[in-house]
Amino acid sequence: MKLIECPRDAMQGLPNFVPTEVKINYLNNLLQVGFDTLDFGSFVSPKAIPQMRDTAEVVSKLDMSATKTKLLAIIANLRGAEEAAHFDEISYLGFPLSVSETFQLKNTNKTIEAAFGEVGEIQNVCVKSNKQLVVYLSMGFGNPYGEAYSPEIVEQFAERLVKMGIHIIAPSDTIGSSTTDAIKTLFGHLIKRFPEVEFGAHLHAKSSHVPKKVKAAFKAGVKRMDCAVRGFGGCPLAENELVGNMATELVVGELRQLGAKLEIDEIKLAQAMLASQYVFG
């Protein structure tokens, strides 16, 4: 099981700017835990996400010398992808493609069709710079805007992405609306339909719902799961009451009970949880 820790998602909605040195210290703690990937920052407009305006400075000061954890940066357009591609330390670029037209416009100021076109350009940047593109399918389990949604629509998005050469796709429960049945149905179908794709689960959930959502994804065959220490986060552009990420400590506990193979150092995780207090209080 690949665990992707998401401090970027956890921090991006905080009202007060987290000092750069505090970010760097926290991220360096997380790099020692044993996560497969660290979603550490984003190269997006500082007007849209002011919290991440120091990502370029942060990445240059992370200690990558004694970690197997890879870095993922979120980008929202070609310009951001080109900026992120300059950093050898970054292995993955993540792009939020939405199943919802309304949310795509809110999140990246472009239509779904325009976003698909940009995904193609970003994929070319990734190929040239030896990086992998991770596409998040936001509102992947439904949305609050009353738009058409079905697992078949998500499948159509996945099919287009696969034809573009993208092999890491993460349906995302942007507002925490997914049910265990929906998780089992969607991932069970997608994994069977596209066995060559690495499907990730980016789920938001209240703490009491985390274990059953983790179990549903695991039983459906998911081998890549996003989480955030202490369950912080939530999309600041979704216009709903923020529902946080699945808490890392709860995800780890549930996966261990399910018999998943994890390379998480429990002591380092506990130290990172202590360090998180300086970021989130």
Side-chain angles (χ1 to χ4, degrees):
M1 174 66 72
K2 294 182 179 180
L3 284 188
I4 288 70
E5 176 66 22
C6 302
R8 182 272 319 164
D9 198 356
M11 285 188 281
Q12 67 179 5
L14 293 177
N16 298 316
F17 184 74
V18 178
T20 302
E21 290 302 320
V22 174
K23 283 193 182 92
I24 292 166
N25 179 67
Y26 181 49
L27 294 172
N28 278 329
N29 270 276
L30 292 172
L31 285 169
Q32 301 305 309
V33 175
F35 300 111
D36 179 85
T37 303
L38 198 65
D39 175 354
F40 80 101
S42 60
F43 292 87
V44 299
S45 166
K47 291 182 180 179
I49 308 291
Q51 188 64 251
M52 295 290 111
R53 65 178 184 259
D54 58 352
T55 292
E57 182 179 355
V58 167
V59 69
S60 67
K61 294 182 180 178
L62 294 180
D63 183 5
M64 304 299 294
S65 63
T67 181
K68 294 181 180 179
T69 301
K70 298 172 284 293
L71 297 181
L72 181 151
I74 295 294
I75 45 90
N77 52 38
L78 180 60
R79 180 179 178 180
E82 291 172 338
E83 185 178 359
H86 288 305
F87 293 91
D88 292 337
E89 300 93 335
I90 297 174
S91 298
Y92 300 103
L93 303 187
F95 182 85
L97 178 66
S98 184
V99 177
S100 158
E101 187 81 64
T102 300
F103 189 64
Q104 189 72 58
L105 288 165
K106 288 177 179 292
N107 204 24
T108 63
N109 197 32
K110 56 177 67 72
T111 65
I112 288 174
E113 282 307 312
F116 263 112
E118 196 139 35
V119 167
E121 295 178 309
I122 293 168
Q123 171 69 353
N124 290 335
V125 170
C126 287
V127 171
K128 291 177 182 178
S129 58
N130 195 32
K131 309 206 183 291
Q132 278 191 281
L133 180 56
V134 179
V135 175
Y136 295 89
L137 294 179
S138 354
M139 300 294 176
F141 295 86
N143 68 69
Y145 308 117
E147 296 163 307
Y149 168 83
S150 69
E152 288 72 27
I153 292 174
V154 179
E155 178 186 351
Q156 291 166 10
F157 274 62
E159 185 171 20
R160 290 183 68 175
L161 293 171
V162 170
K163 289 179 179 177
M164 296 166 72
I166 295 158
H167 290 96
I168 307 177
I169 302 171
S172 303
D173 183 12
T174 315
I175 58 173
S177 63
S178 64
T179 64
T180 55
D181 285 343
I183 292 168
K184 291 176 185 176
T185 298
L186 183 62
F187 284 112
H189 182 69
L190 291 175
I191 291 168
K192 184 177 181 180
R193 174 73 173 76
F194 305 102
E196 73 278 21
V197 173
E198 182 178 302
F199 284 104
H202 183 94
L203 306 174
H204 289 189
K206 296 179 180 179
S207 59
S208 59
H209 296 164
V210 169
K212 61 183 181 182
K213 289 192 177 186
V214 170
K215 184 176 181 179
F218 181 79
K219 294 291 187 182
V222 170
K223 297 293 191 294
R224 176 188 180 95
M225 203 169 291
D226 290 11
C227 51
V229 165
R230 295 169 63 195
F232 289 114
C235 182
L237 299 175
E239 291 191 357
N240 67 295
E241 183 181 349
L242 292 184
V243 178
N245 289 283
M246 295 199 299
T248 303
E249 57 276 16
L250 299 179
V251 172
V252 169
E254 181 64 20
L255 286 173
R256 289 204 188 282
Q257 286 195 20
L258 292 167
K261 183 179 180 182
L262 300 175
E263 297 185 3
I264 299 298
D265 185 322
E266 299 280 1
I267 294 176
K268 295 294 185 181
L269 176 56
Q271 291 172 345
M273 290 179 68
L274 287 174
S276 74
Q277 296 179 17
Y278 295 97
V279 179
F280 303 101

